[in-house]
Amino acid sequence: MIGSALHSVPMDLGDAQENGSSRKRVAIAARGIEMVFNSKTHPFRVLQAIDLTVFEGELQMVVGPSGAGKTTLLLILSGLLTPTRGKVYLFGKEIVGMDREERTQFRRHHLGILFEEGNLFRSLTALENVELGFALKGFRPSSARRQARHLLESVGLGDRANHLPRYLSGGEQQRVAMARALAGNPPLIVADEPTSALDSQNGRVVVSLLRDLVKQQGCTAILTTHDPRILGFADRIVEVEDGVLIQAESQTPIDKLNRSFRTS
């Protein structure tokens, strides 16, 4: 269980916090995150002093225009990129100080990652792609196949299980990728621009399914987007602009965000 993996963390990061009438535990706590890339001419600061909290059981969206630093932030929260400064706690476990192998093992058992284009293996069927997610987490082949088929059915693709990706539409491919990310019921799902390559209808279908599955499995999800069509599915929205978090710890009014997208 996650609780057995906890070690000493600041009290405000590990304890349940009041959130309205309910008490929710913190899934993600990022504190003082900065990211600087060094070029041949001068340093380029991508993120500046980011403090972000995501509560368990929520679907939180990180919005902002292209180049704002959203993907860099998501990579840091996923343990795929080490920040120049700052700390990241996932379920009370500080991940920045882990070595590469520790982080890999932590991701394997705690995170499901959904990329912008799905990143399916082209030579594997939909079912085999999802099975792979289970295999990487140590599931036996028979169990992996059974649960992979169940996940495909849950995203409406039970009848497409034996199709290769080239025979699936873009929306279907992204739903297969979502099922793979959910393999093994990870407590945290991270998704980078999951609707950017989809039309309006398929984009809404994918995010609606993601929200429903998050609620059913009791996990947490954070995704980046600059797609105003899907903001209504979020429990919480934070906004990043020029590497700075300009809205945090509260729901950003969707009307305001829609206006900012239209003018960016």
Side-chain angles (χ1 to χ4, degrees), residues 64-106:
S66 296
K70 304 185 302 297
T71 295
T72 299
L73 177 59
L74 197 71
L75 291 173
I76 290 171
L77 297 178
S78 305
L80 292 167
L81 185 65
T82 301
T84 306
R85 296 183 184 84
K87 299 287 186 182
V88 176
Y89 297 86
L90 299 183
F91 306 101
K93 186 83 168 178
E94 206 287 304
I95 66 168
V96 174
M98 294 179 180
D99 63 32
R100 177 179 290 186
E101 179 60 23
E102 286 179 307
R103 257 184 285 180
T104 298
Q105 290 301 320
F106 188 87

Side-chain angles (χ1 to χ4, degrees), residues 6-160:
L6 301 185
H7 59 130
S8 179
V9 296
M11 186 67 70
D12 66 319
L13 302 185
D15 280 3
Q17 297 187 14
E18 293 290 348
N19 188 20
S21 61
S22 62
R23 291 172 62 81
K24 293 187 177 181
R25 293 187 62 83
V26 174
I28 302 173
R31 297 293 181 264
I33 297 298
E34 297 189 11
M35 191 69 212
V36 179
F37 292 108
N38 292 311
S39 68
K40 292 182 178 179
T41 56
H42 61 278
F44 179 64
R45 189 175 300 277
V46 180
L47 296 175
Q48 304 181 52
I50 298 286
D51 288 337
L52 176 67
T53 300
V54 181
F55 291 99
E56 287 187 11
E58 290 186 339
L59 171 58
Q60 182 155 310
M61 294 188 187
V62 181
V63 304
S66 296
K70 304 185 302 297
T71 295
T72 299
L73 177 59
L74 197 71
L75 291 173
I76 290 171
L77 297 178
S78 305
L80 292 167
L81 185 65
T82 301
T84 306
R85 296 183 184 84
K87 299 287 186 182
V88 176
Y89 297 86
L90 299 183
F91 306 101
K93 186 83 168 178
E94 206 287 304
I95 66 168
V96 174
M98 294 179 180
D99 63 32
R100 177 179 290 186
E101 179 60 23
E102 286 179 307
R103 257 184 285 180
T104 298
Q105 290 301 320
F106 188 87
R107 273 197 310 274
R108 184 170 293 169
H109 295 289
H110 294 81
L111 274 70
I113 300 177
L114 180 59
F115 296 100
E116 180 175 351
E117 307 248 339
N119 285 359
L120 299 179
F121 287 91
R122 314 308 292 179
S123 61
L124 300 180
T125 65
L127 181 61
E128 290 167 340
N129 267 282
V130 180
E131 280 184 77
L132 184 60
F134 285 98
L136 289 172
K137 295 180 179 180
F139 284 72
R140 293 181 178 179
S142 58
S143 176
R145 173 148 294 217
R146 183 178 65 255
Q147 295 190 61
R149 194 175 294 280
H150 174 73
L151 272 176
L152 282 176
E153 290 171 354
S154 73
V155 298
L157 294 176
D159 60 342
R160 310 286 279 170

Side-chain angles (χ1 to χ4, degrees), residues 181-200:
L182 288 161
N185 196 18
L188 177 62
I189 303 296
V190 295
D192 184 27
E193 300 278 3
T195 66
S196 64
L198 304 179
D199 60 32
S200 176

Side-chain angles (χ1 to χ4, degrees), residues 138-249:
F139 284 72
R140 293 181 178 179
S142 58
S143 176
R145 173 148 294 217
R146 183 178 65 255
Q147 295 190 61
R149 194 175 294 280
H150 174 73
L151 272 176
L152 282 176
E153 290 171 354
S154 73
V155 298
L157 294 176
D159 60 342
R160 310 286 279 170
N162 295 319
H163 287 67
L164 293 171
R166 65 176 176 269
Y167 298 117
L168 301 175
S169 69
E172 288 172 335
Q173 290 183 40
Q174 196 67 321
R175 281 188 274 163
V176 173
M178 185 196 311
R180 185 178 62 189
L182 288 161
N185 196 18
L188 177 62
I189 303 296
V190 295
D192 184 27
E193 300 278 3
T195 66
S196 64
L198 304 179
D199 60 32
S200 176
Q201 180 178 354
N202 276 306
R204 290 178 63 84
V205 167
V206 164
V207 177
S208 177
L209 278 169
L210 178 60
R211 181 195 61 184
D212 291 346
L213 289 167
V214 163
K215 301 304 181 184
Q216 290 169 18
Q217 296 196 10
C219 59
T220 305
I222 182 168
L223 66 85
T224 61
T225 187
H226 59 269
D227 183 353
R229 302 169 300 182
I230 64 172
L231 299 182
F233 294 104
D235 293 308
R236 291 159 61 84
I237 302 170
V238 295
E239 188 174 3
V240 176
E241 187 170 341
D242 297 327
V244 177
L245 202 64
I246 60 176
Q247 289 284 342
E249 312 310 335

